[in-house]
Amino acid sequence: MLRFGAMAAAAPALGGAISAPAFAHDKPSRHPSTLVVGHRGASGYRPEHTLASYELAARMGADYMEPDLVSTKDGVLVCRHEPEIGGTTNVASKPEFAARKRTVVLDGVSVTGWWTQDFTLAELKTLRATERIPAIRQHNTLYDGLFPVPTFQEVLDLRKRLSHELDREIGVFPETKHPTFFRGIGLELETPLVRILRRNGLDRRGAKVFVQSFEAVNLRTLADHHRVEVPLVFLSSADGNPFNDPRSYADYLTPVGLKELSEYVDGLGPDKSQIIPRNADGTLATPTALVKDAHRAGLKVIPYTFRAENSFLPAELKVGADVTAYGRAIDEQVTFLRTGIDGLFTDQADVGVLARSLV
């Protein structure tokens, strides 16, 4: 299990909007154990889950790149937010794939679109990534059609190259997406994930790798059956249950539930509202006891997702009425870091690096 140091005393809150993207300086952070995870890369600046996005996050100072993993028809792990790719690639503009559009029941919900499990890797490589939320991130649409869908192995190759070039080890924080769904169609994710990690010498204590999932059963399988050496992180939503699991996320995060989780996982990745909820008017409320309870159980806490646009910020940190404009994102992250969290997932890695330096 990776070890983290204690957080230092809090810095004063900041004011004003954040600036344009900046690259990390050579000076090391005062808090290197407070992790900055590039959420889907630097997805605030490049279309998510592309090599360009991951590389930019690393160059901005992110400690980890976070790929979401789904499977192709021929069992190759590729990086997409969801197995449905109509909203993140140009597949809809490809007449040769028009007939592939279909409705699939994904974790109990009917979804219509194009699915990675219906494409071989060779076919998927003919597609190009597009911005997932163009109404909010219009700048990212500049890069639509430029970048292919990467494999997990290509991300690990990028990690190795950048670690050498930047003279610091870049970590990876892969998430298994819908593992029960993929297991049900004969394309289970656990075996190929473990195989790739071991082939690259990354399933070992001390490797800069975390594996995360919203499904506790998936993590238990990785721990008990595959006996992975790297830390495991249980992701949680603010409501609901893991798919096909009668136990709610809220129950998993009780003191008793956290103690049980600690038998096979090393950390939590909660929705940030589970750390600091919002009041009815959209402002930040009083922090919960989750960080303290998790630490008491020996678990680290790395919440998601911190974004700079007004659309995603609490009411008191918005700047102006434009939902696409940047608000006081640094203030938000500093506020959350003061609760004692062990890191954060952010779409703008440079903001996370700066916020960490101010705490």
Side-chain angles (χ1 to χ4, degrees):
M1 178 177 175
L2 296 183
R3 302 297 181 185
F4 299 79
M7 306 233 6
L14 304 174
I18 66 173
S19 61
F23 292 92
H25 298 294
D26 293 335
K27 182 180 179 180
S29 168
R30 291 184 295 147
H31 311 296
S33 58
T34 305
L35 303 184
V36 173
V37 183
H39 184 245
R40 308 173 193 169
S43 52
Y45 305 123
R46 300 290 185 274
E48 64 190 30
H49 295 308
T50 60
L51 292 182
S53 182
Y54 298 133
E55 179 167 356
L56 183 56
R59 293 189 181 281
M60 287 181 164
D63 303 296
Y64 286 77
M65 305 181 293
E66 190 238 5
D68 293 341
L69 303 181
V70 297
S71 182
T72 65
K73 184 177 182 178
D74 42 351
V76 179
L77 296 183
V78 295
C79 306
R80 288 290 87 191
H81 174 48
E82 295 287 343
E84 197 290 302
I85 54 173
T88 60
T89 72
N90 61 351
V91 65
S93 68
K94 299 285 188 178
E96 64 269 33
F97 297 132
R100 304 274 181 102
K101 188 176 185 180
R102 65 189 181 100
T103 300
V104 170
V105 178
L106 178 66
D107 292 358
V109 179
S110 293
V111 180
T112 300
W114 289 264
W115 301 84
T116 59
Q117 66 267 23
D118 294 333
F119 291 77
T120 64
L121 178 62
E123 291 173 328
L124 204 62
K125 282 293 188 181
T126 67
L127 304 179
R128 292 295 179 268
T130 58
E131 170 56 36
R132 185 176 60 87
I133 48 173
I136 299 295
R137 292 179 172 161
Q138 298 170 18
H139 175 269
N140 283 10
T141 63
L142 287 170
Y143 306 100
D144 283 355
L146 295 182
F147 309 125
V149 175
T151 66
F152 184 40
Q153 182 59 57
E154 288 172 332
V155 174
L156 296 183
D157 292 341
L158 175 66
R159 181 208 72 86
K160 184 176 181 180
R161 176 174 66 82
L162 290 175
S163 295
H164 177 75
E165 179 182 338
L166 300 176
D167 196 27
R168 62 182 179 89
E169 188 174 5
I170 308 300
V172 288
F173 213 123
E175 177 187 345
T176 55
K177 298 293 291 194
H178 306 287
T180 297
F181 167 78
F182 275 107
R183 189 179 304 111
I185 60 174
L187 291 169
E188 58 106 359
L189 304 178
E190 294 89 349
T191 297
L193 168 59
V194 173
R195 184 182 299 128
I196 291 174
L197 289 176
R198 289 175 177 165
R199 187 170 65 229
N200 288 272
L202 292 174
D203 182 28
R204 55 177 173 78
R205 294 182 183 276
K208 286 194 69 171
V209 178
F210 289 85
V211 176
Q212 57 179 333
S213 178
F214 278 98
E215 296 185 17
V217 172
N218 172 235
L219 295 172
R220 176 74 83 169
T221 298
L222 289 167
D224 294 348
H225 177 70
H226 293 280
R227 300 199 175 280
V228 296
E229 295 288 330
V230 297
L232 303 176
V233 173
F234 179 59
L235 301 170
S236 65
S237 293
D239 51 35
N241 302 48
F243 178 66
N244 207 31
D245 186 338
R247 192 171 184 178
S248 69
Y249 286 114
D251 188 48
Y252 274 111
L253 299 191
T254 63
V256 172
L258 292 169
K259 184 176 180 181
E260 293 172 355
L261 278 173
S262 70
E263 296 174 1
Y264 59 98
V265 306
D266 305 280
L268 301 177
D271 184 304
K272 65 183 181 181
S273 68
Q274 295 173 291
I275 305 296
I276 306 180
R278 293 189 185 180
N279 296 308
D281 63 358
T283 59
L284 290 176
T286 302
T288 69
L290 180 57
V291 174
K292 183 183 296 184
D293 290 344
H295 286 170
R296 189 176 293 119
L299 299 172
K300 303 305 175 182
V301 184
I302 308 172
Y304 68 90
T305 303
F306 293 88
R307 297 175 164 116
E309 295 86 0
N310 279 327
S311 178
F312 305 110
L313 290 170
E316 72 272 34
L317 299 181
K318 298 177 188 293
V319 176
D322 183 356
V323 297
T324 73
Y326 283 178
R328 290 163 53 197
I330 300 172
D331 287 7
E332 182 195 34
Q333 294 185 27
V334 166
T335 300
F336 274 81
L337 288 167
R338 287 174 176 169
T339 67
I341 60 176
D342 302 286
L344 46 81
F345 290 88
T346 176
D347 287 3
Q348 286 92 2
D350 56 330
V351 178
V353 170
L354 178 56
R356 174 176 65 183
S357 74
L358 296 171
V359 176

